[in-house]
Amino acid sequence: MAFAYFEPAPQLQGLIGSYYHFETPIAFSDKLRAEMPNLRILLSGQTTIHDDTPQLYTAGDMVLFGPRFHSIGLDFTPGSSVFGLSITPEGWQQFFGIPMHEVTNQRLLLDDVLSHHYSREAERVRECHDPASMVKILDALFTRILIER
């Protein structure tokens, strides 16, 4: 199992807490506590989220997690890999324009929040073979969103 953190570009610091990459060669279960908003891109495998509305996500899913004030369970299948980023409250407002209280303890597909054009850019992360390339794509995407909003 591996977990690594990566720093966002200088213009995004304060909006994105960090990028992260998680992968596990074996089945793995975990419990996440309260956390700030996140975008998680499932690169491979499957993940089941256990909370009030359990949900199975598969490779390719890009899921926004609003701020959470309770714990949730996660089950990963062998070979699961996730690339994600934590989003500060200011970043959430700048990137998505949705009041955080409306998405507290909820999950949304990225396609339902960003225009198709932006979400297609985020999909390019799945084509990368290394986290540095993933960071570069998402830095460019979120910088562009800031400029165009």
Side-chain angles (χ1 to χ4, degrees):
M1 189 169 12
F3 201 103
Y5 288 97
F6 307 91
E7 191 172 57
Q11 71 273 16
L12 297 173
Q13 292 176 8
L15 304 174
I16 294 174
S18 65
Y19 294 104
Y20 53 88
H21 183 234
F22 166 78
E23 58 188 346
T24 179
I26 61 171
F28 177 73
S29 295
D30 196 11
K31 183 172 272 206
L32 294 179
R33 281 29 177 210
E35 66 178 355
M36 56 201 247
N38 276 262
L39 168 62
R40 293 185 170 101
I41 301 170
L42 189 57
L43 302 171
S44 61
Q46 296 181 332
T47 302
T48 302
I49 308 289
H50 299 281
D51 61 5
D52 295 338
T53 55
Q55 178 77 38
L56 171 69
Y57 294 102
T58 59
D61 286 340
M62 298 184 292
V63 185
L64 277 170
F65 287 68
R68 215 177 44 257
F69 298 106
H70 61 81
S71 63
I72 60 172
L74 298 168
D75 292 327
F76 294 95
T77 60
S80 290
S81 177
V82 176
F83 192 80
L85 58 133
S86 61
I87 306 163
T88 68
E90 182 181 349
W92 181 270
Q93 202 56 39
Q94 295 275 338
F95 300 139
F96 307 114
I98 301 169
M100 284 179 44
H101 71 274
E102 291 181 11
V103 295
T104 298
N105 299 323
Q106 293 183 42
R107 298 181 303 274
L108 308 160
L109 293 178
L110 187 63
D111 284 340
D112 294 338
V113 177
L114 288 182
S115 73
H116 183 65
H117 179 72
Y118 289 136
S119 61
R120 296 237 332 129
E121 284 189 47
E123 287 175 8
R124 293 180 43 227
V125 166
R126 297 190 315 243
E127 301 165 8
C128 295
H129 299 288
D130 64 283
S133 298
M134 296 176 200
V135 167
K136 194 174 205 175
I137 287 171
L138 292 175
D139 274 349
L141 170 62
F142 285 104
T143 298
R144 187 168 162 216
I145 291 171
L146 286 177
I147 292 168
E148 294 178 358
R149 283 205 173 217

